[in-house]
Amino acid sequence: MTALLELKQKIKNIYGQYEIYILPVFRFILAFVYLQWINMNMGYMSQLNSIYLVLIISLICCILPSNVLIFAGFVFMVGHCYALGIEVAGFMLVLIIFMMILFLRFSAGTNVVLVFTPLSFGVGAPVLLPIGSGLLSSAVSALPAGCGTILYYFIRFLRVQRQILENPDVAVMDKLKLLTDGIVQNWGMWINVVAFIAVILLVNLIRTRSFDYAWRIAIVVGGAAYILVVLAGGFCFDVTIRMIPLIIYTVVSVIICLILELFVFGGDYTRTERLEYEDDEYYYYVKAVPKASVATSERSIKKINAEPVPEERKTQDDVAPYANPIFHENAKPVKQQEEASQAFKKADMNDVDFEKKLEESLKDL
């Protein structure tokens, strides 16, 4: 637990320091993956399948608001549908306009959920999106989540019915009827739409309550609610539901959301405080839940490169100069001692008998 909290703090520090670079990179990756997903699941118009076009549009989307990416995805969808037929492109365009007028205009701040919805189906964990949206966003995000689910299933329907839609011998009215039935009578799609909306509303409702461990309870209840709604819908509309994969990816999604809760919320309920105070008009009852945090020690290493001191310079530094004032007090006694020693030497030289010494040395020879 401590290691995760330290990792969380390091990630927050890195994000706070390099936020101006991280956000554009994240937007670029999201735009690239989303547009590539559209090309991989549709891919009917070869001009839109160019990787260079996807890279250019992704670069544009990384510096513009997220709604630009949504409109770019709509353009790609309509373009691929046009390769199947003008009536298919018209039907897709009417469907998109219908969504924008009735739903998406009320959820302008959360429409990026529409981009994540088909990607959650693509990675095999659709329940991850409604639980995550309920935790990190508002209840209004249920609208783009439902629209994204409809688009995902409609794109799958087009891929299955491609041969019929490309056949020029099929009448236009027959194609339009086929497309309408692909939306109205696609019970698997409607089951997931209802499940997504119900889970988002339920998770957001529980997450915003003031009781302890509200986030974790919301995650577990959201996963259980998704399984119950999907099973109930499959039983009512006679839709085959694969039980084991449903439970597996729901459990995996719940575990991922619990880790997400630790990094995003991470409240320490063991240190909860309840405060009561009042002013002239109101009484206030406040519940304060401190964030779980751990102090991280930052180590700073300072390198000192010491240069070797030359021996001559070191010797000079060790010898005190005579100009130092501490030597001036003893200067006079030293001079008197030198004069006395010189007089003593002169007296000794005058007392020596050089002639006697010379005679003694000659006798020895």
Side-chain angles (χ1 to χ4, degrees), residues 30-45 48-49 54 69-81 92 96 114-115 118-119 151-152 155-156 159:
L30 178 61
F32 181 80
V33 173
Y34 180 59
L35 297 179
Q36 277 294 99
W37 180 88
I38 294 175
N39 288 338
M40 290 174 60
N41 287 269
M42 300 183 78
Y44 310 125
M45 181 176 287
L48 296 178
N49 293 329
V54 174
L69 174 59
I70 297 173
F71 285 107
F74 289 159
V75 171
F76 269 63
M77 292 177 189
V78 174
H80 286 299
C81 290
M92 174 65 83
I96 292 173
L114 185 144
V115 176
L119 297 181
L151 290 176
Y152 169 76
I155 290 173
R156 277 187 30 175
R159 187 171 56 184

Side-chain angles (χ1 to χ4, degrees), residues 322-348:
Y322 181 75
N324 198 318
I326 63 175
F327 297 102
H328 293 172
E329 297 179 358
N330 300 325
K332 187 175 180 180
V334 172
K335 186 175 181 180
Q336 292 176 355
Q337 291 178 3
E338 290 178 356
E339 291 177 356
S341 62
Q342 290 177 1
F344 178 77
K345 291 179 179 179
K346 290 180 179 179
D348 292 339

Side-chain angles (χ1 to χ4, degrees), residues 187-246:
W187 304 118
M189 179 191 73
W190 292 114
I191 291 172
N192 278 277
V193 169
V194 174
F196 272 41
I197 295 175
V199 171
I200 290 176
L201 296 178
L202 184 61
V203 170
N204 186 262
L205 177 65
I206 298 175
R207 189 263 299 176
T208 54
R209 299 307 93 189
S210 61
F211 53 83
D212 292 350
Y213 304 101
W215 281 59
R216 299 177 187 177
I217 295 174
I219 293 171
V220 176
V221 171
Y226 181 82
I227 294 176
L228 293 177
V229 172
V230 171
L231 292 178
F235 178 78
C236 294
F237 296 100
D238 195 17
V239 178
T240 303
I241 304 297
R242 294 183 297 175
M243 188 69 178
I244 296 178
L246 174 66

Side-chain angles (χ1 to χ4, degrees), residues 105-351:
R105 68 188 185 96
F106 297 107
S107 58
T110 60
N111 284 341
V112 70
V113 176
L114 185 144
V115 176
F116 286 99
T117 304
L119 297 181
S120 65
F121 281 99
V123 298
V127 69
L128 184 62
L129 180 114
I131 297 178
S133 298
L135 294 176
L136 304 179
S137 187
S138 62
V140 186
S141 60
L143 297 177
C147 295
T149 305
I150 294 174
L151 290 176
Y152 169 76
Y153 277 92
F154 186 68
I155 290 173
R156 277 187 30 175
F157 174 79
L158 293 179
R159 187 171 56 184
V160 174
Q161 304 294 335
R162 176 179 180 178
Q163 294 181 353
I164 298 176
L165 296 173
E166 287 180 336
N167 190 355
D169 298 332
V170 180
V172 175
M173 295 303 299
D174 294 336
K175 292 182 180 180
L176 293 177
K177 184 178 182 303
L178 179 65
L179 295 173
T180 305
D181 293 339
I183 293 290
V184 176
Q185 297 183 4
N186 194 339
W187 304 118
M189 179 191 73
W190 292 114
I191 291 172
N192 278 277
V193 169
V194 174
F196 272 41
I197 295 175
V199 171
I200 290 176
L201 296 178
L202 184 61
V203 170
N204 186 262
L205 177 65
I206 298 175
R207 189 263 299 176
T208 54
R209 299 307 93 189
S210 61
F211 53 83
D212 292 350
Y213 304 101
W215 281 59
R216 299 177 187 177
I217 295 174
I219 293 171
V220 176
V221 171
Y226 181 82
I227 294 176
L228 293 177
V229 172
V230 171
L231 292 178
F235 178 78
C236 294
F237 296 100
D238 195 17
V239 178
T240 303
I241 304 297
R242 294 183 297 175
M243 188 69 178
I244 296 178
L246 174 66
I247 295 176
I248 290 176
Y249 65 64
T250 302
V251 172
V252 173
S253 300
V254 168
I255 294 174
I256 295 174
C257 289
L258 289 174
I259 298 174
L260 180 66
E261 183 265 342
L262 175 64
F263 282 91
V264 176
F265 178 69
D268 188 2
Y269 290 100
T270 60
R271 298 186 290 124
T272 302
E273 298 180 3
R274 288 175 173 82
L275 309 176
E276 299 180 11
Y277 56 94
E278 62 179 282
D279 58 12
D280 295 337
E281 297 181 357
Y282 296 97
Y283 293 97
Y284 299 92
Y285 299 92
V286 179
K287 178 181 178 181
V289 180
K291 294 182 179 180
S293 60
V294 62
T296 57
S297 60
E298 296 182 358
R299 300 178 181 178
S300 59
I301 301 174
K302 185 177 181 181
K303 296 181 179 180
I304 300 176
N305 297 325
E307 297 181 357
V309 181
E311 292 295 332
E312 296 180 358
R313 182 178 178 183
K314 186 176 180 181
T315 306
Q316 292 176 1
D317 293 340
D318 293 338
V319 177
Y322 181 75
N324 198 318
I326 63 175
F327 297 102
H328 293 172
E329 297 179 358
N330 300 325
K332 187 175 180 180
V334 172
K335 186 175 181 180
Q336 292 176 355
Q337 291 178 3
E338 290 178 356
E339 291 177 356
S341 62
Q342 290 177 1
F344 178 77
K345 291 179 179 179
K346 290 180 179 179
D348 292 339
M349 292 178 66
N350 294 328
D351 294 337

